[in-house]
Each structure stands twice: as C-alpha cells, then as structure tokens.
Amino acid sequence: MSLFRFTRLVSRPIPSNVQARSICVSQARRADPFPLPLQSHRPSTQNDSEVAKNDDSVPPEFMPKPLARDGEDVDTLRARLVYQSRKRGNLEMDLIFSTFAKENLPTMSEEELKEFDKLMDEPDWDTYYWCTRKREPPARWADSPLLEKLRKHAQNEGRVVRRMPDLSKP
C-alpha cells in the first residue's frame, strides 16, 4: 500500500453508523504495574502519599539476609567498609557514607565498625531519609550514637563541598 493511499484512508472521517473505539481496550489498572522489589509488604489500598506518611522503612523480614562474615579481622572489615561506602547505588548515600567513612573509620572501634556495617545493610533510601531527618528511624536505630554522628555529618554545618574521596590509604 502506498503512503499516499494510507494517508487518505487514515484522514477520512468516521461514518456516523460506525462506533469509534479507543486504541486501548484494556481496563485501567489501579495497582502499580511496576512495583519495586520490596513493596510487597505494603497494603495495596494505600496510595503513595499515604505510604510515605505511614511507612518508616522496609520491615526486616522482607530484607535480604546479609552475608555472614565470621572471622573477618578489623583491617579487612575497615577496608571492606571503605569500599562499600562508595558503592551504594545512589549518589546521595555514596557521598554521605564515603565522606563519613573517610573521616571516621580510622578511629572507630571494632564494635562501631560492626554497627556501621549493619547500618549499611539497610536500604539506601531509608538511610538517606534517616540521615536527613525526613523520617524517623525504626526502633532498632532510634537510639544509635552512630546514626546520630551520621546525621550530624549529613547536616554539613561547615558547608563543605563534598566529593568522593580518593581510595588512598588513610
């Protein structure tokens, strides 16, 4: 079929005895067609604004289990945390965690390092909202001195221009 003939057919008016029908014949869906992987715990009746108000974080039972790292010495733990603080998945937490790690990891005790490791196992957007005080952290992190130090670091009271630190040895 030539382009000219196709254009003539398409541009013709629809006769009055023919019912016009939209191109989309499926019914509108109310559920999110592309849910995030960890959204299955949310009730489907809530819309996103209600979830943002009511949902503090992903419940622990829906989180993937972190790898057990038994027998890891402190130097290996510190080196792994430096690397993982830089490779988070979103730039906001890359900058907050990596600059915090550059400043604080060399002086942290082994217990603080393990707590920082557990905090980095949390979803990035949850930790971002906790650090910026947009949402309250769950009970397991509410009284954490490490999270308080991270919040103070994220406030950036000195108005320092932050960039990803180099991977050189401290």
Side-chain angles (χ1 to χ4, degrees), residues 14-27:
I14 299 173
S16 60
N17 62 348
V18 176
Q19 291 183 355
R21 169 173 107 158
S22 67
I23 294 174
C24 181
V25 294
S26 63
Q27 295 179 349

Side-chain angles (χ1 to χ4, degrees), residues 56-58 63 122-131 135:
D56 287 334
S57 66
V58 176
M63 290 295 301
E122 298 286 341
D124 288 338
W125 284 111
D126 286 344
T127 53
Y128 175 75
Y129 289 133
W130 302 338
C131 290
R135 291 185 184 167

Side-chain angles (χ1 to χ4, degrees), residues 50-117:
E50 290 174 0
V51 170
K53 290 177 193 170
N54 299 329
D55 191 20
D56 287 334
S57 66
V58 176
E61 61 267 13
F62 289 100
M63 290 295 301
K65 302 290 183 232
L67 296 174
R69 301 189 191 278
D70 300 327
E72 187 176 43
D73 65 335
V74 177
D75 292 332
T76 306
L77 174 63
R78 191 171 277 125
R80 180 174 57 81
L81 291 177
V82 166
Y83 180 78
Q84 286 181 341
S85 68
R86 299 171 55 89
K87 307 292 182 187
R88 300 300 308 160
N90 62 4
L91 182 60
E92 291 85 352
M93 287 315 296
D94 285 349
L95 288 173
I96 291 173
F97 272 147
S98 65
T99 53
F100 180 81
K102 180 76 171 176
E103 294 173 11
N104 296 296
L105 280 184
T107 60
M108 284 183 166
S109 67
E110 186 175 0
E111 292 79 27
E112 288 176 317
L113 291 172
K114 288 181 179 180
E115 185 179 4
F116 187 58
D117 189 19

